[in-house]
Amino acid sequence: MSLPPADPAPAPAAATGLDAVAAELGPGGDLAPEGDADGYRRRMARRKEVQQQRVGERNLEKGLVLVFTGDGKGKTTAALGLVLRTLGHGDAVAVVQFIKGGWQPGEAKALELFGDALAWHALGEGFTWETQDRERDRALVQAAWEQSRSYLADASRKLVVLDEVNVALKLGYLALDQVLEGLALRPELTHVALTGRGAPPGLVERADLVTEMKLVRHPFREQGVKAQRGIEF
């Protein structure tokens, strides 16, 4: 289906000017040019004033679309940090894993203590080279998507995590229009995090926040270190 473009968030008045002033003042520390304590204190007092103005102008609240993608490690870890944070505030969360599912990750076991506040579904059967059945993989992804749609439309869930959904999109098991339609089902204040390599441009364009994890070094590639409990699962 064809969806209308998302309305852009209104830009706070004079935000650009304040952002520029904040950048000019800098973060402080040894990056500040002042060598004397009084000069440094004046710079940081002005920086605090500007920061308070910036925060005061940005008072919009909305459900966010957050994309964690890239070749580096940490995409699911970032999303699960949001899960823990949301649960800690007493709100309900749903996690649907699209590709993973051949093992029970440590975080799923650790988060069991939150009971019904967390719904966790591992609906894949592992990587494509493990399953070796394209049509079954496709069917499992579609089943996972139907489960995801029900959570996306559920106002009782503050956060929905679609883990490795970007991979399902890249493999062709899920259509971008399906995902965009699902995002449009969300109540006004429901957040959704989508993880996995290769997020398509259409999803990146729709997102409110996009973080790309860059691969610099990896122990599996450079040192032959296997996936370890507590690090990878």
Side-chain angles (χ1 to χ4, degrees):
M1 65 177 288
S2 177
L3 294 173
D7 293 333
T16 302
L18 286 173
D19 291 345
V21 173
E24 182 180 353
L25 290 167
D30 287 345
L31 298 176
E34 291 82 4
D36 63 296
D38 287 342
Y40 180 77
R41 190 176 297 110
R42 285 194 297 271
R43 174 179 288 270
M44 290 299 98
R46 175 60 178 149
R47 181 66 175 82
K48 180 179 180 180
E49 179 184 315
V50 170
Q51 186 64 19
Q52 288 173 334
Q53 289 180 274
R54 295 173 77 209
V55 172
E57 288 185 348
R58 291 163 167 85
N59 54 16
L60 179 67
E61 187 175 4
K62 60 175 287 191
L64 298 176
V65 176
L66 309 106
V67 173
F68 300 105
T69 191
D71 293 334
K73 179 175 170 54
K75 298 176 287 293
T76 296
T77 304
L80 293 178
L82 296 177
V83 169
L84 186 59
R85 182 175 293 164
T86 303
L87 290 169
H89 284 294
D91 294 313
V93 177
V95 177
V96 180
Q97 293 189 298
F98 279 77
I99 303 298
K100 300 168 183 173
W103 64 90
Q104 185 182 24
E107 51 267 34
K109 292 185 280 186
L111 294 171
E112 286 177 354
L113 62 90
F114 287 97
D116 293 340
L118 174 65
W120 188 293
H121 302 272
L123 298 177
E125 292 183 341
F127 301 113
T128 51
W129 53 88
E130 294 170 339
T131 61
Q132 302 175 19
D133 189 333
R134 183 163 48 197
E135 293 313 309
R136 178 165 176 78
D137 288 345
R138 191 188 312 278
L140 288 170
V141 164
Q142 289 297 323
W145 177 246
E146 288 307 309
Q147 180 69 75
S148 301
R149 288 182 86 257
S150 69
Y151 286 127
L152 288 167
D154 183 357
S156 71
R157 301 287 168 178
K158 182 68 173 181
L159 171 67
V160 179
V161 173
L162 307 180
D163 188 39
E164 301 290 1
V165 69
N166 295 336
V167 176
L169 284 164
K170 182 171 66 173
L171 294 174
Y173 295 159
L174 192 62
L176 177 60
D177 281 353
Q178 288 181 278
V179 174
L180 295 180
E181 178 190 15
L183 296 180
L185 297 174
R186 293 174 303 129
E188 185 178 359
L189 296 180
T190 297
H191 306 303
V192 57
L194 306 96
T195 79
R197 299 185 182 201
L203 179 58
V204 170
E205 181 65 26
R206 172 63 186 84
D208 299 290
L209 179 148
V210 180
T211 297
E212 184 175 5
M213 309 296 187
K214 180 180 178 180
L215 177 62
V216 178
R217 292 181 62 83
H218 198 294
F220 179 83
R221 295 177 63 171
E222 280 94 25
Q223 302 175 51
V225 177
K226 68 179 184 179
Q228 300 181 92
R229 185 176 66 183
I231 301 298
E232 277 77 26
F233 61 91

